Amino acid sequence: MRHLKLIRNMRAQSDLWFADYLLRIGGGTKEVNGDGNVRIPDEIYVPYSYDAEKDLHTLIDIIFSDLNANMADKEYITTRAILSTRNDWVDMINMKMIDMFQGGETVYHNFDTTVDDPHNYYPSEFLNSLTPNGLPPHVLKFKLRCPIILLRNIDPANGLCNGTRLMVWGFRRNTINAEIVVGQHARKQVFLSRIPLCLSDDEMFPFQFKRKQFPIRLSLAMTVNKS
């Protein structure tokens, strides 16, 4: 217990240092070089070796050190994530990381349909390949205790809002049993089901389609906006 408290205190101190460091950069009080650039301290960046696969594994090992030993620790799971700028990269990292989790996996596929497409110009295989902003991917792969993030406002009064983070505790054919792990509704058990999801107004597709799927995705990796 003493060792665990020491680790948490070290994490808290590290988080405070990093937050202060970012504030100093944003406030213009951090020293810069002659070109106006800020040198990132060695202890907070991962060297790049030009081997994408190797570098990704190094990043995962650093951010999620001892993953299998800590996957049941809610604080461990919800206080770290790998951030990216693109949904396809996020999905790739999440799929790679869920394979590292212990235990059997459950896979859910979505159901895509176009709106007003009588000639079937956009077959389901094509729609399945799309991952617009705000929609879950075609394939969702989960394991027990994996972290997920909600993509829609379902029941804000009970904590089910866009961006709510949860942990999976059980699977059914059309429902997922999960627990809210952050905020004032933490520890509340909920059941999530598939719902029809539409594209946001920001997506510039020449057609409209609906995706029936669980309004969630893995949150081991997330987009910068979603974080």
Side-chain angles (χ1 to χ4, degrees):
M1 181 63 71
R2 183 178 179 182
H3 180 63
L4 181 59
K5 288 182 178 179
L6 178 60
I7 292 176
R8 287 177 176 172
N9 288 337
M10 291 174 63
R11 288 178 182 169
Q13 293 174 5
S14 176
D15 291 343
L16 289 173
W17 177 88
F18 188 59
D20 178 68
Y21 177 79
L22 292 179
L23 287 173
R24 282 186 284 127
I25 293 178
T29 59
K30 180 66 179 173
E31 293 184 3
V32 298
N33 61 20
D35 297 325
N37 299 321
V38 176
R39 186 184 185 282
I40 298 177
D42 294 343
E43 59 268 23
I44 66 171
Y45 76 86
V46 180
Y48 185 55
S49 69
Y50 297 95
D51 184 335
E53 190 72 16
K54 178 183 176 181
D55 290 336
L56 178 56
H57 278 285
T58 300
L59 180 63
I60 292 173
D61 289 341
I62 291 174
I63 304 300
F64 291 92
S65 58
D66 299 322
L67 175 62
N68 286 321
N70 293 284
M71 64 171 54
D73 186 340
K74 299 173 189 176
E75 182 180 355
Y76 173 92
I77 288 294
T78 58
T79 56
R80 64 198 67 219
I82 295 174
L83 303 184
S84 180
T85 57
R86 293 176 46 174
N87 281 317
D88 55 346
W89 292 346
V90 165
D91 293 335
M92 180 271 293
I93 296 171
N94 276 324
M95 291 294 281
K96 183 179 292 291
M97 290 199 62
I98 197 63
D99 289 336
M100 299 178 181
F101 266 62
Q102 296 176 343
E105 64 184 31
T106 299
V107 179
Y108 296 99
H109 294 83
N110 64 33
F111 303 95
D112 289 333
T113 55
T114 52
V115 178
D116 192 21
D117 181 26
H119 301 291
N120 195 30
Y121 290 131
Y122 307 102
S124 58
E125 293 80 9
F126 168 70
L127 300 177
N128 294 163
S129 67
L130 303 176
T131 310
N133 185 38
L135 293 188
H138 170 54
V139 177
L140 289 175
K141 183 191 296 185
F142 299 125
K143 293 183 181 179
L144 292 179
R145 298 186 297 275
C146 69
I148 56 176
I149 188 168
L150 199 59
L151 302 178
R152 287 290 189 276
N153 291 324
I154 298 178
D155 187 0
N158 289 299
L160 295 179
C161 307
N162 184 6
T164 297
R165 300 186 71 180
L166 309 97
M167 182 178 286
V168 174
W169 286 107
F171 306 102
R172 298 291 185 273
R173 181 175 181 180
N174 292 305
T175 59
I176 292 176
N177 178 19
E179 177 185 351
I180 300 175
V181 291
V182 295
Q184 63 179 3
H185 296 280
R187 299 185 180 181
K188 179 179 290 186
Q189 296 282 330
V190 298
F191 288 94
L192 305 173
S193 58
R194 284 189 173 99
I195 62 174
L197 303 165
C198 298
L199 293 173
S200 68
D201 295 335
D202 297 333
E203 296 293 340
M204 303 299 291
F205 284 96
F207 57 89
Q208 292 183 330
F209 78 98
K210 294 182 179 180
R211 172 164 293 175
K212 190 173 184 181
Q213 180 60 290
F214 295 98
I216 55 178
R217 70 192 315 161
L218 286 166
S219 61
L220 295 159
M222 295 187 289
T223 60
V224 175
N225 290 340
K226 182 59 70 176
S227 70

